[in-house]
């Protein structure tokens, strides 16, 4: 899908392009390619003279491979954006290409973004730009606003983690935690830990991208100050992610502790049962030997019930004592 965005009366308007002729009718500041087809890439190359590299969304982590400037003045930025709205949070790599140096090219002053799937941050910016006149001034402003929205999206996701961990805290600290509940709690904690880690990586990547824009001296004075504000917002998110990691570790330890308590209860039952059965075993062993006991000779036929009574009494007395001491609770 190839979408272009134009400025009109201070608002950002979107147009979906289905042919090269439609592309030539607009003067956009932002061209967004979502899972572009070879034909759409060819349109961009024919009209703008911009060749989209095949490795535009590679998973390189080196800064020199993700933030660099071409000889013709094209700035290349590869940044990750978070998707946290479904059961499997993930990050999507987005490649940005921005030409601010070469006035001879039709791509001058146009931001190109290439990604494989729709990104929530992009939808958020499009919605805001349509409703707020003057929010976007040029292609650089689009890129800055995308990173600003990404930081805000990460902050909103962190608030969601706070809410989910609050629910988990009430389950864990309310009282008895069964093994089934403990399994559900551990699954929820692991999910939130993974999401928190992705947020931390996402804001770190956004910090690197914004810092590169500031170093490249491509921003105006007001945009430079806006970039500094984005970095300050990201800085505040770091402390929140660190706190959430501590809270997650506490809840994890508490849940594992309840699992150990449940296991110890089972072991205690076996231990008490084995101790309680020692006296009956001793009675059975004594009267089972080939010895002549006077009471057996006197009781005659009643000797068998007598021995059974002795075994039962020797088992019940320890159980009563253990229960009185609270060892069976």
């Amino acid at each position: 899908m190839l979408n272009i965005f134009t400025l009109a009366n201070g608002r950002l308007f979107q147009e979906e392009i289905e042919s090269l002729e439609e592309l030539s009718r607009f003067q956009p500041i932002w061209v967004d390619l979502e899972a572009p087809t070879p034909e759409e890439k060819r349109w961009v190359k024919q009209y703008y003279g911009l060749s989209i590299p095949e490795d535009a969304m590679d998973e390189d982590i080196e800064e020199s491979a993700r933030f660099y400037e071409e000889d013709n003045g094209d700035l290349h930025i590869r940044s990750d954006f978070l998707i946290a709205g479904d059961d499997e949070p993930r990050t999507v790599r987005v490649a940005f290409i921005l030409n601010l140096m070469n006035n001879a090219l039709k791509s001058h002053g146009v931001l190109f973004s290439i990604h494989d799937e729709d990104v929530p941050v992009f939808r958020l910016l499009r919605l805001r730009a349509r409703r707020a006149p003057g929010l976007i001034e040029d292609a650089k402003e689009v890129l800055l606003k995308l990173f600003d929205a990404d930081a805000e999206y990460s902050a909103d996701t962190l608030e969601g983690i706070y809410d989910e961990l609050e629910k988990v805290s009430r389950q864990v600290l309310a009282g008895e935690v069964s093994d089934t509940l403990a399994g559900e709690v551990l699954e929820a904690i692991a999910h939130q830990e993974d999401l928190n880690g992705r947020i931390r990586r996402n804001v770190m990547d956004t910090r690197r991208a914004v810092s590169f824009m500031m170093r490249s001296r491509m921003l105006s004075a007001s945009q430079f100050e806006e970039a500094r504000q984005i970095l300050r917002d990201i800085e505040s998110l770091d402390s929140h992610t660190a706190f959430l990691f501590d809270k997650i570790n506490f809840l994890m330890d508490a849940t594992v502790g309840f699992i150990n308590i449940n296991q110890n209860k089972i072991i205690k039952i076996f231990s008490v049962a084995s101790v309680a059965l020692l006296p009956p075993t001793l009675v059975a062993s004594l009267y089972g030997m080939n010895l002549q006991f006077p009471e057996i000779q006197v009781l005659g036929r009643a000797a068998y019930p007598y021995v059974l009574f002795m075994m039962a009494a020797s088992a019940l007395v320890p159980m009563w004592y253990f229960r009185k001491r609270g060892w069976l609770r």
Side-chain angles (χ1 to χ4, degrees):
M1 183 183 299
L2 195 157
N3 293 304
I4 65 171
F5 298 86
T6 59
L7 274 179
N9 298 323
R11 297 179 185 271
L12 197 65
F13 290 91
Q14 177 179 351
E15 299 286 346
E16 185 173 340
I17 301 301
E18 297 182 354
S19 67
L20 179 61
E21 290 73 19
E22 292 183 0
L23 184 64
S24 61
R25 292 206 308 264
F26 299 97
Q27 295 295 326
I29 64 168
W30 179 18
V31 176
D32 183 47
L33 296 93
E34 178 184 336
T37 63
E39 186 179 19
E40 291 170 340
K41 291 182 179 180
R42 188 176 68 252
W43 296 345
V44 171
K45 183 176 182 180
Q46 289 178 358
Y47 185 74
Y48 292 103
L50 178 69
S51 297
I52 299 176
E54 293 296 331
D55 60 347
M57 292 170 287
D58 278 358
E59 297 296 327
D60 295 320
I61 61 174
E62 296 85 0
E63 185 168 357
S64 59
R66 299 183 62 181
F67 313 105
Y68 61 93
E69 183 176 353
E70 293 280 6
D71 295 337
N72 61 358
D74 287 347
L75 290 175
H76 289 254
I77 298 177
R78 298 177 187 173
S79 186
D80 295 332
F81 287 82
L82 180 68
I83 297 180
D86 49 17
D87 294 334
E88 296 183 1
R90 61 193 183 279
T91 54
V92 176
R93 175 64 54 83
V94 180
F96 295 103
I97 303 175
L98 177 61
N99 174 25
L100 297 174
M101 303 295 294
N102 196 336
N103 294 322
L105 298 178
K106 292 182 179 179
S107 61
H108 178 74
V110 179
L111 174 67
F112 297 86
S113 58
I114 306 99
H115 49 100
D116 289 330
E117 57 182 302
D118 191 22
V119 181
V121 170
F122 284 42
R123 297 197 302 268
L124 178 61
L125 178 63
R126 292 196 295 263
L127 180 63
R128 288 180 176 177
R130 284 197 299 266
R131 294 181 176 179
L135 181 67
I136 303 295
E137 297 179 357
D138 54 22
K140 296 178 294 182
E141 196 78 31
V142 172
L143 192 52
L144 269 181
K145 293 299 183 183
L146 282 173
F147 290 132
D148 186 24
D150 187 42
E152 184 176 343
Y153 181 78
S154 298
D156 292 340
T157 308
L158 284 176
E159 292 180 3
I161 296 178
Y162 273 104
D163 295 338
E164 292 299 323
L165 291 181
E166 187 66 27
K167 297 177 184 177
V168 172
S169 297
R170 288 196 295 267
Q171 290 178 308
V172 173
L173 305 178
E176 294 292 331
V177 178
S178 64
D179 290 344
T180 302
L181 178 59
E184 296 174 357
V185 168
L186 286 177
E187 182 180 357
I189 293 175
H191 177 77
Q192 299 305 322
E193 193 277 338
D194 176 62
L195 181 56
N196 192 48
R198 291 182 182 276
I199 292 173
R200 192 176 184 88
R201 177 182 174 182
N202 184 65
V203 296
M204 179 185 66
D205 185 83
T206 302
R207 180 192 290 116
R208 294 171 63 190
V210 174
S211 298
F212 171 75
M213 293 179 65
M214 296 172 69
R215 292 195 307 270
S216 63
R217 300 180 181 179
M218 57 182 285
L219 304 176
S220 64
S222 60
Q223 291 172 342
F224 191 87
E225 182 58 32
E226 184 178 356
R228 292 180 60 184
Q229 182 59 47
I230 295 174
L231 293 182
R232 285 193 290 267
D233 293 340
I234 291 175
E235 217 40 61
S236 67
L237 294 180
D238 285 340
S239 59
H240 286 283
T241 56
F243 169 77
L244 285 175
F245 275 127
D246 292 338
K247 187 175 181 64
I248 287 171
N249 289 332
F250 165 74
L251 292 175
M252 186 76 72
D253 292 341
T255 305
V256 173
F258 277 112
I259 294 175
N260 292 333
I261 290 174
N262 293 337
Q263 292 177 344
N264 290 336
K265 288 180 180 179
I266 298 174
I267 298 300
K268 183 174 70 174
I269 292 174
F270 282 108
S271 300
V272 170
S274 62
V275 172
L277 292 177
L278 284 178
T281 303
L282 178 61
V283 173
S285 300
L286 287 174
Y287 286 104
M289 293 186 295
N290 294 325
L291 298 176
Q292 298 296 324
F293 293 95
E295 64 272 22
I296 297 298
Q297 296 177 359
V298 171
L299 292 175
R301 291 181 177 274
Y304 184 69
Y306 165 74
V307 173
L308 291 179
F309 173 77
M310 290 290 293
M311 293 174 62
S314 63
L316 292 176
V317 170
M319 295 292 290
W320 169 81
Y321 178 76
F322 293 156
R323 183 175 181 82
K324 184 177 179 181
R325 295 296 299 271
W327 296 347
L328 294 178
R329 297 176 185 174

